[in-house]
Amino acid sequence: MNGQRAYASVVAAYWGFTLTDGALRMLVLLHFYRLGYSPFTLAFLFLLYEAMGVVANLVGGWLATRYGLNVTLASGLALQVAALMMLSGLDPAWSPSWSVAYVVLAQGLAGVAKDLTKTSAKSAIKLVTPEGQSAALFRYVAWLTGSKNALKGVGFFLGGVLLSTMGFVSALRLMAAALAVVFAAT
């Protein structure tokens, strides 16, 4: 696969991931808000997501160098599908403390997935940037980062729409299926 085509494939996978990741944030936040959880608990639900993202960021570059971008991209997508399916298994009969612990663990998995996928997408820029052309590299990075931020916002909106139209579990399963298709296509 040539550099441009490989880059396009990675960016498309990253975009699909970014939509589901933004939607997942909104689904979790709004679902638990509806259930009456406190603002502190709502913030706590995302603690491991951020912490594991830092850990994955630290080792993601090493993993990509050692095993290749394909492995880190595939791992990130697969982990996100697993996190979505894990969250869809949340049982309303569980105690609030067990539900929070379960969601925090699933969010930690999603945090690892986010940074493995991000490492692959940002590293793939080198495939299409000619040696010594830092201006082109900065344009590609700016474009990828800008598109990611825009799609994350669309994902937030998508999460709200899916929650209000399909419900929590069905929305998670739909997103897992859509991301599995992205995984298979890449």
Side-chain angles (χ1 to χ4, degrees):
M1 190 181 291
N2 70 21
Q4 294 282 351
R5 191 165 171 214
Y7 178 69
S9 174
V10 170
V11 168
Y14 187 54
W15 284 350
F17 178 91
T18 300
L19 282 171
T20 63
D21 196 53
L24 176 58
R25 302 299 128 244
M26 257 320 112
L27 279 169
V28 169
L29 181 66
L30 295 175
H31 177 70
F32 281 88
Y33 174 78
R34 274 187 188 173
L35 294 176
Y37 284 75
S38 73
F40 178 78
T41 303
L42 293 174
F44 186 75
L45 293 174
F46 298 95
L47 183 65
L48 197 56
Y49 172 83
E50 296 300 336
M52 291 308 293
V54 170
V55 172
N57 243 344
L58 291 172
V59 296
W62 176 81
L63 288 171
T65 301
R66 183 164 174 97
Y67 300 107
L69 293 177
N70 290 342
V71 171
T72 55
L73 178 64
S75 298
L77 293 170
L79 286 173
Q80 183 77 341
V81 170
L84 291 165
M85 290 307 296
M86 183 178 171
L87 281 168
S88 75
L90 185 66
D91 189 341
W94 291 344
S95 71
S97 57
W98 177 244
S99 294
V100 167
Y102 186 83
V103 171
V104 167
L105 288 174
Q107 292 278 60
L109 197 59
V112 172
K114 175 192 64 145
D115 282 303
L116 288 177
T117 307
K118 181 176 68 174
T119 297
S120 301
K122 291 194 174 184
S123 298
I125 292 172
K126 290 183 179 182
L127 295 173
V128 294
T129 306
E131 190 80 26
Q133 290 195 5
S134 59
L137 177 62
F138 287 125
R139 274 195 308 275
Y140 281 128
V141 170
W143 185 81
L144 182 66
T145 302
S147 67
K148 176 201 62 122
N149 293 339
L151 286 173
K152 184 75 94 168
V154 172
F156 291 160
F157 177 75
L158 180 64
V161 168
L162 289 174
L163 182 63
S164 65
T165 59
M166 300 180 73
F168 186 69
V169 172
S170 295
L172 289 167
R173 289 181 180 160
L174 175 68
M175 290 187 331
L179 201 55
V181 169
V182 170
F183 174 79
T186 55

